[in-house]
Amino acid sequence: LGSVRGLMKGDKREEPGPGLEPTAPPPPTEEEEALLEFHRSYRELFQFFCSNTTIHGAIRLVCSQHNRMKTAFWAVLWLCTFGMMYWQFGLLFEEYFSYPVSLNINLNSDKLVFPAVTICTLNPYRYREIKEELEELDRITEQTLFDLYKYNSSNTLVAHARVRRDLREPLPHPLQRLAVPAPPHSARRVRSATSSVRDNNPQVNRKDWKIGFQLCNQNKSDCFYQTYSSGVDAVREWYHFHYINILSRRRDTSPSLEEDALGKFIFACRFNQVSCNEANYSHFHHPIYGNCYTFNDKNSSNLWMSSMPGVNNGLSLTLRTEQNDFIPLLSTVTGARVMVHGQDEPAFMDDGGFNLRPGVETSIGMSKEAVDRLGGDYGDCTKNGSDVPVKNLYRSKYTQQVCIHSCFQQNMVKECGCAYIFYPLPPGMEFCDYRKHNSWGYCYYKLQDAFSSDRLGCFTKCRKPCSVTTYKLSAGYSRWPSVTSQDWVFQMLSLQNNYTIKNKRDGVAKVNIFFKELNYKTNSESPSVTMVTLLSNLGSQWSLWFGSSVLSVVEMAELVFDLLVITFLMLLRRFRSRYWSPGRGGRGAQEVASTPASSLPSRFCPHPASPSSSPPGPAAANLALSAPPPAYATLGPCPAPSGLAAAGSPAHPPGEL
């Protein structure tokens, strides 16, 4: 500790004498107060704390010390209360670190930005434009329908059958009839016991097999059948599979200029009773849904605003839905497909679109709803998708559907070596075609199964965005035009839009999209337990169990600090006594033996008491007890004091006692 010594509470300062002669101890006075004082024992510290603390019940541990039963009762009660309080503290901290959230629902009313609306024709190409590429596929499909179902889909089927032998090469993955495995013998026996009279007649064989086509890997070591219980579904999926390969060979998948004209598909367009123009929409082509037109997207010059609700203050479209030139085996649905989405979100027609029925006026009422999540520790969401391990292949902002489709396309490129034509093409890749990638169908259907069961991890990687705006839709339907007005309506459409009158109701549809009300709901999250709430709850528990405040917590901290300091000083004193005491260690004995007698303190030199000296008092006793016992084997003779030189006995020779 050097020259500065800390004093235990009750210790007194010792002043060395001016000379070799020990000075008489000072008379007993009041204890001097040191800068830092600590209690001499744990008992003393505990008694001081219990007598002076502001924590309720602690003083009972001291004032009842003469009654052991009361002391034990208050000690057990105090410890139980202390334990209950910290158990409550644990529950509060557990709740805080679980990061709960509160959902705040706000109802706002203001002018609303009208969402983007996408309308598709449900026909990817005019049949006459792609008939040459589909001629071979159509012939094989017609022959397959006749072989499986004896259905003659063309008057020239016999001619097609003759030409079929002269085709350059047959299509891979032919559609086949597959027998269904027979049920177990026990099941047949149970069925025969409960059969009716009609079961005695032979069943139609077509009910006992499925339709499908075979897919194999690169080296034909693993194959499986993609089967369907419905023949319609099997033919459509098989035709769709070959159509994708044909479409991937076309260098330009955009439609013709004639089909791209807005007036060929949309007869009339009005928003807020004002006619639309080409600056209000953009066009893109979908491989299945055909030509699609998006109104009020982010590329529009001025975004539409709705200041009034109702059907007359929204978007109204009159559409052509006739199917004179549709692909018969690909476009099996008539009408149009519509989707409502945000301005900077892509239109996923498969996920969120719905079909419009011809000859019907569809009125779609919208209500806006916004969701704001906290993210971070409070929820698994992302701000802008920058922390999601999936590259965005779309030129739009991050959405969960954008991420999921991008994730599937990346896995498709990684596993199959080519890109799926329905999703954006990554740089440096090409779309799948079995002429270049003969096993991509096997890879795709295997990957689709893994994707659906989330073995690819796309649904786990693609987190929800923290801010989402959705539109809830409700639809109403009515016949349009009515029986009494259809004559003049069709006549006007014929004169203005070259509408074919003979199609009448099957070739036209109308849709109205509008806000039902301008009130929109905002669902926002906020922390349920903040730091202020946590401290308030902790203080409430502390006051409940001990009736104290923050200063009482400081007193507890001071108690812990004093315990640590007292323990440290006691260990240090024990270490010094073992290390420096002469006769208890070899090093200490050598140091004392090599020290000159004149340099030793006077308290190490025993002297006979002077006859004139006063009887030893408490100070002298403390002084004698504080001095270590001398090592007589190594201690030399002490020089006699000057006052005893004349009356003292003759000195012994050096080295003798």
Side-chain angles (χ1 to χ4, degrees):
L1 293 178
S3 59
V4 179
R5 295 177 58 197
L7 294 180
M8 300 292 287
K9 190 171 183 180
D11 292 348
K12 298 181 179 180
R13 302 179 183 272
E14 296 181 1
E15 298 292 339
L20 297 177
E21 181 180 359
T23 59
T29 59
E30 296 182 358
E31 293 185 355
E32 299 180 5
E33 183 179 359
L35 181 62
L36 292 175
E37 292 186 355
F38 299 98
H39 298 277
R40 289 175 294 183
S41 63
Y42 296 118
R43 183 182 182 87
E44 182 181 345
L45 174 63
F46 181 70
Q47 290 179 351
F48 176 80
F49 175 78
C50 293
S51 302
N52 297 277
T53 184
T54 58
I55 299 177
H56 292 186
I59 194 172
R60 292 288 183 178
L61 302 175
V62 179
C63 68
S64 302
Q65 59 183 349
H66 298 294
N67 191 332
R68 294 184 178 180
M69 183 176 295
K70 285 188 177 181
T71 303
F73 170 76
W74 280 101
V76 172
L77 182 61
W78 200 83
L79 291 176
C80 291
T81 305
F82 198 78
M84 288 294 297
M85 183 190 67
Y86 275 95
W87 176 61
Q88 294 291 328
F89 280 4
L91 295 179
L92 293 176
F93 277 107
E94 182 182 2
E95 181 185 12
Y96 175 76
F97 286 107
S98 64
Y99 300 104
V101 297
S102 298
L103 184 61
N104 305 317
I105 301 177
N106 299 321
L107 191 62
N108 308 296
S109 180
D110 197 359
K111 291 196 304 182
L112 298 178
V113 178
F114 200 81
V117 178
T118 299
I119 304 286
C120 297
T121 62
L122 289 179
N123 186 39
Y125 293 97
R126 290 294 183 185
Y127 187 56
R128 62 177 179 268
E129 296 179 2
I130 199 173
K131 185 177 181 179
E132 183 178 354
E133 289 89 343
L134 297 179
E135 182 178 5
E136 180 182 359
L137 177 60
D138 289 343
R139 289 175 180 176
I140 296 178
T141 304
E142 292 173 357
Q143 184 65 38
T144 300
L145 291 176
F146 182 80
D147 294 340
L148 296 178
Y149 295 97
K150 305 303 179 183
Y151 171 71
N152 188 356
S153 61
S154 174
N155 295 328
T156 59
L157 181 61
V158 179
H160 287 170
R162 290 195 302 265
V163 178
R164 188 168 181 261
R165 301 178 181 177
D166 300 333
L167 294 177
R168 291 170 294 179
E169 58 181 10
L171 290 177
H173 316 292
L175 198 62
Q176 305 176 27
R177 182 176 63 186
L178 306 173
V180 177
H185 179 69
S186 59
R188 292 199 304 266
R189 185 167 49 195
V190 172
R191 181 184 176 188
S192 62
T194 58
S195 61
S196 60
V197 178
R198 64 174 184 175
D199 289 336
N200 296 327
N201 298 327
Q203 294 284 337
V204 179
N205 293 333
R206 295 188 183 94
K207 295 183 179 180
D208 296 334
W209 42 259
K210 292 184 178 182
I211 304 296
F213 51 98
Q214 188 183 41
L215 298 166
C216 298
N217 60 358
Q218 186 72 26
N219 54 9
K220 310 296 182 182
S221 61
D222 185 22
C223 299
F224 71 93
Y225 282 92
Q226 185 71 17
T227 60
Y228 301 88
S229 58
S230 171
V232 176
D233 294 338
V235 172
R236 288 187 68 252
E237 183 66 24
W238 179 78
Y239 192 93
H240 180 267
F241 173 73
H242 288 283
Y243 166 76
I244 291 176
N245 293 271
I246 295 174
L247 192 62
S248 63
R249 300 172 203 149
R250 291 175 61 92
R251 296 182 179 180
D252 186 13
T253 59
S254 60
S256 62
L257 295 177
E258 180 183 359
E259 179 67 20
D260 197 18
L262 181 65
K264 297 296 182 179
F265 172 56
I266 300 177
F267 290 159
C269 172
R270 293 176 66 85
F271 179 77
N272 279 348
Q273 305 299 322
V274 178
S275 298
C276 310
N277 53 49
E278 294 184 357
N280 300 127
Y281 76 94
S282 60
H283 167 265
F284 69 92
H285 183 261
H286 193 276
I288 294 297
Y289 298 107
N291 291 293
C292 299
Y293 303 89
T294 302
F295 293 87
N296 197 40
D297 64 351
K298 61 181 180 180
N299 297 323
S300 301
S301 57
N302 294 316
L303 294 179
W304 291 338
M305 299 293 296
S306 291
S307 56
M308 292 288 293
V311 65
N312 295 324
N313 298 284
L315 177 64
S316 179
L317 299 171
T318 303
L319 310 174
R320 181 177 66 88
T321 59
E322 58 181 349
Q323 291 183 307
N324 291 336
D325 204 14
F326 276 30
I327 302 176
L329 293 172
L330 188 64
S331 303
T332 59
V333 180
T334 183
R337 193 165 182 86
V338 61
M339 180 180 176
V340 178
H341 54 93
Q343 270 78 20
D344 49 357
E345 298 177 3
F348 295 111
M349 307 304 295
D350 285 328
D351 302 334
F354 55 93
N355 294 336
L356 301 177
R357 182 180 176 182
V360 173
E361 181 178 3
T362 305
S363 298
I364 302 174
M366 301 183 299
S367 60
K368 181 181 176 181
E369 184 173 340
V371 178
D372 292 328
R373 303 181 180 92
L374 285 178
D377 295 328
Y378 293 93
D380 188 19
C381 69
T382 177
K383 297 294 184 182
N384 53 11
S386 59
D387 53 345
V388 175
V390 177
K391 182 180 179 181
N392 190 351
L393 300 179
Y394 292 82
R395 297 178 180 178
S396 64
K397 76 171 187 178
Y398 175 88
T399 64
Q400 194 170 21
Q401 290 300 103
V402 165
C403 178
I404 289 174
H405 290 182
S406 300
C407 179
F408 180 83
Q409 186 73 303
Q410 291 177 11
N411 282 275
M412 186 77 182
V413 171
K414 179 182 178 181
E415 300 294 335
C416 306
C418 57
Y420 193 47
I421 197 171
F422 288 170
Y423 301 147
L425 182 66
M429 299 303 300
E430 57 183 0
F431 290 121
C432 294
D433 179 14
Y434 50 58
R435 291 185 179 180
K436 299 179 181 179
H437 316 89
N438 56 1
S439 62
W440 83 266
Y442 170 89
C443 178
Y444 166 75
Y445 285 104
K446 288 286 187 181
L447 200 67
Q448 184 68 31
D449 180 68
F451 172 77
S452 302
S453 58
D454 199 24
R455 294 197 301 271
L456 300 180
C458 292
F459 297 98
T460 304
K461 297 176 184 177
C462 297
R463 305 199 303 272
K464 297 176 292 186
C466 294
S467 297
V468 180
T469 300
T470 58
Y471 298 92
K472 293 186 177 182
L473 310 179
S474 59
Y477 306 93
S478 61
R479 186 176 181 179
W480 185 86
S482 63
V483 177
T484 57
S485 61
Q486 62 181 358
D487 293 336
W488 73 268
V489 170
F490 290 144
Q491 185 66 29
M492 295 294 295
L493 293 177
S494 175
L495 296 176
Q496 185 175 0
N497 303 100
N498 296 325
Y499 177 69
T500 305
I501 301 179
K502 64 180 181 179
N503 290 333
K504 291 190 177 180
R505 191 176 305 280
D506 293 337
V508 66
K510 188 174 182 180
V511 58
N512 303 311
I513 304 175
F514 56 92
F515 279 111
K516 295 186 295 184
E517 55 185 4
L518 296 183
N519 297 329
Y520 64 96
K521 185 170 62 174
T522 302
N523 302 323
S524 59
E525 293 180 349
S526 61
S528 180
V529 181
T530 61
M531 180 59 68
V532 176
T533 308
L534 176 64
L535 294 177
S536 177
N537 293 336
L538 293 177
S540 299
Q541 292 295 326
W542 186 275
S543 300
L544 172 65
W545 296 104
F546 287 103
S548 50
S549 61
V550 178
L551 298 180
S552 302
V553 180
V554 178
E555 291 177 1
M556 291 290 296
E558 183 185 18
L559 174 63
V560 175
F561 176 75
D562 289 344
L563 287 173
L564 295 177
V565 171
I566 289 177
T567 303
F568 172 74
L569 291 178
M570 292 179 67
L571 293 176
L572 181 62
R573 177 175 294 180
R574 180 174 297 180
F575 173 77
R576 291 184 60 188
S577 65
R578 289 183 179 180
Y579 186 80
W580 291 102
S581 295
R584 296 188 180 181
R587 181 178 177 184
Q590 293 176 6
E591 291 180 355
V592 174
S594 61
T595 303
S598 59
S599 63
L600 293 174
S602 58
R603 66 176 181 271
F604 284 92
C605 301
H607 299 287
S610 174
S612 60
S613 60
S614 60
N622 292 338
L623 181 62
L625 290 177
S626 63
Y632 294 98
T634 57
L635 187 62
C638 296
S642 58
L644 300 177
S649 59
H652 297 280
E656 296 182 5
L657 290 176

